[in-house]
């Protein structure tokens, strides 16, 4: 919550400074530099593979992966001056994904997803700094999101199978104990 407030304050202060600054020369476009928070936040890895933690991680991370993929591809179609709110939201989704407790048995899938998401964040930052063109940005983001979808899908399938097996074992145990 604190980081979200800081990001919002940063965005508002950038808007305020832009509005209060000296008028830009007509030949130069306004600065669109966006500094996204680094992904050096701590990742919480929970030892073992407890059913509740795996189930919670799987549900939350699947939803966040899809949200990040959808919104990052949608941000490509926004004009540069309208990308700031979308990028702030993407940074928040990334932060939520990092802070989601990860069971050890799903750490690889989680790490692969974060690597692709970091690639997208770096591409948007390079674009906002002017070191990456619009078409190169589109290629970078699309490739990263395809990689997230394709390569991480098999790792998520392993986590899903492990979750299904654990749920089935729990169900069998409950039925053996006479639970309905």
């Amino acid at each position: 919550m604190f980081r979200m407030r800081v990001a919002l304050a940063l965005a508002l202060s950038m808007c305020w400074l832009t509005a209060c600054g000296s008028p830009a020369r007509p030949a130069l476009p306004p600065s669109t530099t966006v500094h996204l928070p680094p992904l050096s936040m701590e990742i919480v890895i929970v030892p073992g593979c407890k059913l509740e933690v795996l189930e919670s991680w799987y549900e939350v991370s699947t939803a966040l992966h899809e949200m990040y993929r959808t919104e990052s591809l949608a941000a490509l179609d926004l004009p540069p001056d309208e990308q700031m709110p979308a990028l702030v939201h993407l940074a928040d989704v990334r932060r939520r994904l990092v802070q989601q407790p990860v069971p050890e048995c799903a750490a690889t899938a989680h790490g692969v997803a974060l690597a692709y998401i970091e690639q997208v964040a770096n591409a948007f930052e390079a674009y906002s700094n002017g070191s990456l063109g619009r078409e190169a940005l589109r290629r970078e983001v699309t490739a990263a999101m395809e990689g997230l979808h394709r390569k991480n899908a098999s790792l998520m399938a392993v986590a899903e199978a492990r979750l299904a097996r654990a749920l089935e074992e729990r169900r069998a145990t409950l039925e053996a104990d006479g639970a309905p």
Side-chain angles (χ1 to χ4, degrees), residues 12 22 27-28 43 50 57-59 63 72 85 89 111 116 119 151 178:
L12 290 175
S22 61
L28 297 175
I43 298 173
K50 295 180 182 174
W57 170 82
Y58 182 81
E59 289 176 3
S72 64
H89 182 69
Y116 283 113
Q119 184 179 347
K151 291 182 181 176

Side-chain angles (χ1 to χ4, degrees), residues 43-64:
I43 298 173
V44 180
I45 297 191
V46 179
C49 197
K50 295 180 182 174
L51 176 62
E52 292 79 13
V53 177
L54 178 60
E55 184 176 26
S56 175
W57 170 82
Y58 182 81
E59 289 176 3
V60 172
S61 65
T62 301
L64 292 175

Side-chain angles (χ1 to χ4, degrees), residues 80-94:
D81 58 332
E82 293 179 21
Q83 281 184 343
M84 176 61 95
L87 296 179
V88 169
H89 182 69
L90 286 173
D92 182 55
V93 171
R94 185 177 69 172

Side-chain angles (χ1 to χ4, degrees), residues 5-127:
R5 288 182 182 163
V6 170
L8 181 60
L10 177 65
L12 290 175
S13 65
M14 287 179 63
C15 292
W16 180 74
L17 288 173
T18 302
C20 295
S22 61
R25 296 180 187 150
L28 297 175
S31 175
T32 57
T33 300
V34 178
H35 297 284
L36 299 174
L39 192 58
S40 62
M41 297 177 249
E42 291 198 22
I43 298 173
V44 180
I45 297 191
V46 179
C49 197
K50 295 180 182 174
L51 176 62
E52 292 79 13
V53 177
L54 178 60
E55 184 176 26
S56 175
W57 170 82
Y58 182 81
E59 289 176 3
V60 172
S61 65
T62 301
L64 292 175
H65 292 170
E66 185 59 30
M67 182 185 300
Y68 198 91
R69 188 179 75 77
T70 303
E71 293 184 16
S72 64
L73 293 173
L76 291 173
D77 297 326
L78 294 173
D81 58 332
E82 293 179 21
Q83 281 184 343
M84 176 61 95
L87 296 179
V88 169
H89 182 69
L90 286 173
D92 182 55
V93 171
R94 185 177 69 172
R95 179 193 53 78
R96 288 171 43 201
L97 188 59
V98 167
Q99 292 178 342
Q100 176 66 24
V102 182
E104 276 181 328
C105 60
T108 302
H110 193 75
V112 167
L114 289 176
Y116 283 113
I117 287 171
E118 185 67 14
Q119 184 179 347
V120 170
N122 290 338
F124 273 111
E125 191 165 356
Y127 174 70

